[in-house]
Amino acid sequence: LAAAMDACGYDVTREFYINDAGNQIEKFGLSLEARYLQIFKGEDAVEFPEDGYHGEDIKERAQQYADVHGDSLLNVSEQERRQALVDFALPKNIEKLRTDLEKYRIVYDVWFPESTLHQSGAVKAVVDDLTKRGLTYEKDGAVWYKATEFGGEKDEVLIRANGNPTYFTADIAYHKNKFADRHFDRVINVWGADHHGHVARLKGAMDAIGLDGSKLDVVLMQLVRLMKDGQPYRMSKRSGRAVTLTDLLDDVPIDAARFFFNMREPNATFDFDLDLAVQQSSENPVYYVQYAHARICSVLKLVLAEGLTEEGIKNADLGLLITPEERELCRALGQLPDEIVAAAKYYDPARMTRYAMEVAALYHKFYQNCRVKCEDSAVCAARAALCRATATVLENTLAMLKITAPEVM
């Protein structure tokens, strides 16, 4: 989506919000503590929290800490132990996340830690602002926001009875930071579909603090189901309850993963076919598109070797492209700018994947019905020019998707 907007001329910042505060970090600390204590006291002697994080990375980080610092945390307070383990493990997990995403060709401009909002006083400032506007009240020891006055289904807790702010409060502060402090004209969040109930109340909260909630858009993503041999598939239990992107990339080429994940609208559920993703056949959509590009490179190499020149291709008479296959392909190539604009406008980058498949299909059809290397040198030059234009369109489309356009397959 950001690539489509870049191509349309928008000034786009890609940002990752790090949830390094609140309940998740408390749970992270509890999980690390349990694994650390199990190293020295045995797994049976230390109960693991039922809702803790079961991933292998928790065990790894606890072991790494023990390897460096030994049993130094056995005789300190629980709070000190958990804090030390979190301070040790969290930067390593974030760095691994960054590395894993870069392997998948995702590079964020900004990594924004939630903790900075608490440290800077931005979270408290939001509560004070809403209170000044008469939009809060106290009940059961907690501070509540009158969300129903701004489109919410029910009022929301801002500060729990124990004095800790909720995620919702931090979210308001975070979006205020984007709109009021950093002056973004539009903010697009990509969330899991299970957060759909949060959309209206956050947009309403923007209106409540004097900002424009209509400038906040949320793209909701459905879950992906991995399939193998026609059945749901668990690739690995190494990560606990979830399959990670790095697990997937051990089995599936990056180009295939990127293409497959971008084949559906975000609000559509998606079955990721692991068998199809590794197939080298026309049934595999990414292979089909890449093969079209490689085939064009092969054709151009052949006609240039036979005496056609780059100058001849450049000055070809395109009026000679008169067959239905040639004209259909020409029309499709001309649609690239409109497709990019529509992908950005409707927040639907899957259009680009579908477009690449359409262009590839039309090229294969043209290739079957129109010989590029033919007796008529003028027709040969025109068809070579059409090949060159098709290769350029496929390269540009795949580049937006950060997928390679191979010259040989």
Side-chain angles (χ1 to χ4, degrees), residues 161-301:
N162 63 7
N164 292 334
T166 60
Y167 275 126
F168 180 52
T169 318
D171 277 353
I172 300 172
Y174 176 46
H175 288 80
K176 182 184 178 186
N177 172 278
K178 290 198 222 188
F179 283 120
D181 300 346
R182 290 187 281 158
H183 308 293
F184 284 107
D185 299 305
R186 186 158 292 279
V187 170
I188 305 166
N189 290 343
V190 182
W191 289 352
D194 52 330
H195 293 294
H196 68 92
H198 192 47
V199 177
R201 64 184 181 217
L202 187 57
K203 287 167 81 79
M206 293 299 98
D207 293 330
I209 59 174
L211 298 169
D212 186 351
S214 70
K215 290 182 176 180
L216 169 63
D217 292 326
V218 179
V219 176
L220 294 172
M221 301 290 295
Q222 294 290 345
L223 287 171
V224 173
R225 187 168 61 159
L226 297 175
M227 305 292 287
K228 192 171 178 65
D229 302 323
Q231 299 293 322
Y233 181 62
R234 287 300 301 266
M235 289 182 65
S236 162
K237 293 192 170 63
R238 184 173 64 81
S239 313
R241 295 173 184 166
V243 174
T244 67
L245 183 62
T246 39
D247 291 335
L248 182 70
L249 297 183
D250 287 340
D251 286 38
V252 174
I254 295 167
D255 282 343
R258 291 191 63 86
F259 200 96
F260 275 50
F261 279 133
N262 199 56
M263 281 172 62
R264 294 282 182 281
E265 293 83 359
N267 59 2
T269 51
F270 179 51
D271 286 350
F272 191 111
D273 188 333
L274 291 160
D275 298 310
L276 186 60
V278 295
Q279 261 186 44
Q280 296 197 344
S281 75
S282 60
E283 289 177 34
N284 179 347
V286 68
Y287 183 88
Y288 185 71
V289 172
Q290 289 179 319
Y291 183 69
H293 184 267
R295 173 176 263 178
I296 293 168
C297 294
S298 173
V299 167
L300 289 172
K301 200 172 175 185

Side-chain angles (χ1 to χ4, degrees), residues 80-91:
E80 190 180 335
R81 185 186 303 125
R82 289 170 197 164
Q83 191 61 53
L85 288 165
V86 167
D87 290 346
F88 175 83
L90 188 61

Side-chain angles (χ1 to χ4, degrees), residues 111-124:
W111 288 71
F112 192 106
E114 180 190 344
S115 57
T116 59
L117 296 167
H118 297 272
Q119 292 157 6
S120 68
V123 176
K124 181 180 182 299

Side-chain angles (χ1 to χ4, degrees), residues 271-341:
D271 286 350
F272 191 111
D273 188 333
L274 291 160
D275 298 310
L276 186 60
V278 295
Q279 261 186 44
Q280 296 197 344
S281 75
S282 60
E283 289 177 34
N284 179 347
V286 68
Y287 183 88
Y288 185 71
V289 172
Q290 289 179 319
Y291 183 69
H293 184 267
R295 173 176 263 178
I296 293 168
C297 294
S298 173
V299 167
L300 289 172
K301 200 172 175 185
L302 179 67
V303 294
L304 287 167
E306 294 281 327
L308 183 63
T309 62
E310 289 290 353
E311 195 66 23
I313 296 174
K314 187 178 171 187
N315 297 319
D317 179 4
L318 303 182
L320 296 172
L321 301 172
I322 56 172
T323 69
E325 293 84 5
E326 289 164 339
R327 307 196 82 158
E328 208 177 358
L329 181 53
C330 285
R331 272 195 294 273
L333 299 183
Q335 288 166 3
L336 176 59
D338 291 341
E339 288 294 333
I340 296 171
V341 168

